[in-house]
Amino acid sequence: MSLNEIIIACIFLPLIGALISGLLVRNLSDRAAQLITCAPLVISAFCAWIIFANVISHDISTTITLLPWIQSGDFAVNWALKLDALTAIMLTLVTTVSAVVHVYSVGYMSHDDHKQRFMCYLSLFTFCMLMLVTADNFIQLFFGWEGVGLCSYLLIGFWFKKPEANAAAMKAFIVNRVGDFGFALGIAALFFTFGTVGFADTFAAAKAFATETPDASWVVLGLSIPVMDTICLLLFMGAMGKSAQFLLHTWLPDAMEGPTPVSALIHAATMVTAGVFMVARCSPLFEYAPIALMVVTYVGALTAIFAASVGLVQNDIKRVIAYSTCSQLGYMFFACGVSAYGAAIFHLFTHGFFKALLFLGAGSVIHAMSGEQDMRKMGGIWKHIPYTYAFMWIGSLALAGIPWFAGYFSKDMILEAAFAAGTTQGYVAYGLGVTAAFMTAFYSWRLLFMTFHGTPRADKHTMEHVHESPPIMLMPLVPLVIGALIAGAVGYYVWDIVAGTKAFWGDALYVLKANNTLKAAHHVPEWVPLLPLIVVLSGIALSYLFYIKRPDLPVKLAARFNGLYRFLLNKWYFDELYNFLFIKQSIAFGRSLWKTVDVKIVDGLGPNGVAFVSRVLAKRTGALQTGYLYHYAFAMLLGLLVLISWLVYVMLG
């Protein structure tokens, strides 16, 4: 097979599996449906690694046109696949994690009556994500963008008979629409400004525009905002929603209502990383938008510290990992904000492995605990599930950034690049990032200690049934373990991902010479990379003190600082705030429209009005039907008299 054929197979095999499984839902056995969806994903992942090897060894950057897609006057968009280093690394991550999740789901969803529908949704989700990362233009990117949004709604609400799952699915869909509204405006603004939506043409035009008219501005709400900054801020609004950044983050923890494999797929390597990918892909735009870069930096840094602080006190094992995802996405964004796009994607890559490992490991714990997710009802189970225990330790070591594990190389490079930026926002991001690193270590080991160590807190019946997951759930985790162990070192030493923009990325990422923070990051003072390690070890030590040596301390602290504890436990009260500001008002407005417009006008003049008139006419007409023969004879005579009178009138007239 040629490289082009391998690329096409990699992209469309998940779609084929989804279509066959979905269309033949009544004609396939569960085992056949699982095979039809799992096998294409495994082959797709194998193809992705071949593509990755070819791209990094031959510095490939090309576009494969499949067919004309949209044609309207002079506006034409082709359905094309863009292949470069950025695409290749995303293809590899998405397909690998998705293949693992598919195989894992065979065991995890074995007792579900709708497992075939679940596997279909997983494959369709993967195809949409592959469409997103291989897009050659903003229209195709938006197609994949909305596709993963739709599939996430289906997957989060998979157990649709649960009210919590339905509410979580709707919340994810609606919050993402807020961000997508800005994203759509950004695409429209790009077309309005540059007359094209293709990446290559748009980026070339943007560079010329920024060089020739650096002071070009639009007036928005009475404020003069530079054109490039306006466009990039609108695009970033979409990224905020999809990647659950501060203010548009509220959907992410609620999405844990979906099955655990969904959490691993959506929140480790696919949907939530789409925003980071989009900003990196649009680096030729953001590099000429300093205000937008500053906003990206501050939002990312604030997200990192916010989500980490909330994760400190959560008790649901999946929600702790979910807030960890939100925090790590913040790292990726403030890396993009200081122009360290390579470090951001590198962390996206390593994070995908160890975060999927943590989510699926948590699923193994939940499976062992007969569906229990509250860590307060666990403890003392490590001897019962030793493999899961070991996997969770490896994932936590990588997440915390312990030396030589994957997260150590990528996350520390982000912090060093932020410091090397030499700007106020860079220093702020470094400080908040280091603080978040301390919190990350603390809540990660809090999870380990509360879940696996100490005195068992589950009831006797549950403890009697604690058991290790079957091989079909454990074996798929091995590739993730390998990634969590070596992906960082391989990326840093072998692939030179963060050595500089051109070394690995070629033309996939664009950084102005004045903004090359990755190069400057190699020359920061020695204490800059050392401080994160010190705070991480301190966080682990403090967690050990709290949950192993002195388990009474957390209770005492929560009582002593009850206001702060409640504030963090209730996620800074964002849900309550949004409920007060937006949700209640929207519901009240909707009910008002329903009562006035729908009931009184639409229904009153429409179906209800027609029904009322018909009912009145029928009642009046029905009164003529008395059942008496002489009434009918009289009516006939009266009709005959009218007819004769009319004929006489016509003849005489």
Side-chain angles (χ1 to χ4, degrees), residues 407-432:
Y408 168 73
F409 295 94
S410 56
K411 187 165 71 174
D412 281 28
M413 183 52 66
I414 288 175
L415 293 172
E416 293 164 29
F419 185 88
T423 59
T424 301
Q425 59 262 34
Y427 293 138
V428 169
Y430 176 80
L432 293 180

Side-chain angles (χ1 to χ4, degrees), residues 487-500:
V490 172
Y492 189 87
Y493 292 114
V494 180
W495 298 337
D496 291 329
I497 286 181
V498 294

Side-chain angles (χ1 to χ4, degrees), residues 189-244:
L190 281 171
F191 180 72
F192 175 78
T193 306
F194 305 121
T196 180
V197 292
F199 287 156
D201 293 339
T202 299
F203 298 156
K207 183 178 180 179
F209 181 85
T211 303
E212 297 169 3
T213 56
D215 299 324
S217 300
W218 285 332
V219 177
V220 181
L221 299 176
L223 299 175
S224 180
I225 303 178
V227 171
M228 292 301 298
D229 285 294
T230 304
I231 292 173
C232 289
L233 286 172
L234 289 171
L235 295 177
F236 179 59
M237 185 175 172
M240 287 177 65
K242 197 67 70 183
S243 296

Side-chain angles (χ1 to χ4, degrees), residues 245-267:
Q245 291 301 281
F246 189 71
L247 299 180
L248 293 180
H249 65 276
T250 53
W251 67 269
L252 186 69
D254 289 9
M256 296 301 103
E257 292 295 337
T260 298
V262 174
S263 305
L265 185 62
I266 292 179
H267 305 135

